[in-house]
Amino acid sequence: MKRTQATREIAVQILFALYIYALFKIILFKFSSINFIFLWEQLQHRAHNIDRAMQWGNFIPLATISNTLDNLTSHTLLNLGGNIALFLPYGMFLMLQSSGRRISLLHVLIRSLGLSLLLECAQAILSIGTFDVDDLILNTLGGVIGYSMLRLFAHKKKVQPATES
């Protein structure tokens, strides 16, 4: 039994690492290759990049979401839903990794917000995207929904009576 549990925990850790790699690749590099020389050059110009981010970024909560809903297209809907969907696994992994101890919804909210903030700031500092506070909201919501879905599923699984053969 202990060996099965250890194997499960290792598998979850490996899948989590692959998920985080994919998340960074999607959000920061938009599926393209990671060019370390380019990133180093971008860091050399971080003051200019931060100034640019302050001018072009969205710091008004719900502004982008509201604009998206007012001008709904398949592309904007994909962007809106994608920001939520990208973080669904994050909330699930947080719950799976907390196996013996229970992780609270507040902790998932804070960790989802923190990871999203890291990614948004990286986009701004490296000038490889635009900072958008609404992405923080949507990503955090995705993490919370992912956690809640898995928590609900786990609860229902415990509550259902065993069927007889």
Side-chain angles (χ1 to χ4, degrees):
M1 182 72 165
K2 288 183 181 181
R3 188 174 182 160
T4 305
Q5 181 66 19
T7 303
R8 179 189 166 275
E9 288 175 11
I10 290 169
V12 167
Q13 294 298 327
I14 291 169
L15 289 172
F16 180 67
L18 291 171
Y19 163 73
I20 292 295
Y21 173 78
L23 188 66
F24 273 68
K25 185 94 164 143
I26 292 166
I27 292 177
L28 294 181
F29 303 105
K30 316 298 186 238
F31 296 102
S32 64
S33 63
I34 301 170
N35 183 340
F36 291 105
I37 295 170
F38 171 77
L39 292 177
W40 180 250
E41 289 173 359
Q42 291 300 92
L43 280 174
Q44 302 301 312
H45 304 289
R46 68 181 169 267
H48 169 73
N49 293 345
I50 292 171
D51 183 49
R52 182 182 148 272
M54 296 299 285
Q55 292 175 354
W56 292 358
N58 171 36
F59 298 94
I60 302 168
L62 304 177
T64 302
I65 295 171
S66 176
N67 187 39
T68 297
L69 294 175
D70 288 344
N71 304 303
L72 204 57
T73 66
S74 59
H75 180 266
T76 58
L77 184 61
L78 180 65
N79 185 45
L80 191 71
N83 275 304
I84 295 170
L86 278 173
F87 270 69
L88 286 173
Y90 187 67
M92 292 176 179
F93 275 118
L94 289 177
M95 184 169 170
L96 290 171
Q97 290 176 326
S98 70
S99 59
R101 58 198 190 287
R102 296 180 60 124
I103 186 168
S104 71
L105 184 64
L106 179 61
H107 282 103
V108 172
L109 187 136
I110 291 168
R111 289 178 184 185
S112 297
L113 178 63
L115 179 58
S116 182
L117 183 60
L118 173 79
L119 290 165
E120 288 297 311
C121 289
Q123 286 185 93
I125 291 168
L126 297 170
S127 193
I128 53 177
T130 306
F131 183 93
D132 191 340
V133 71
D134 286 354
D135 287 351
L136 295 176
I137 294 168
L138 295 170
N139 295 159
T140 303
L141 179 63
V144 167
I145 291 171
Y147 165 83
S148 299
M149 286 171 40
L150 193 58
R151 180 116 183 177
L152 182 65
F153 176 75
H155 179 71
K156 283 190 177 227
K157 192 173 179 183
K158 286 180 185 177
V159 172
Q160 292 178 352
T163 57
E164 294 183 33
S165 306

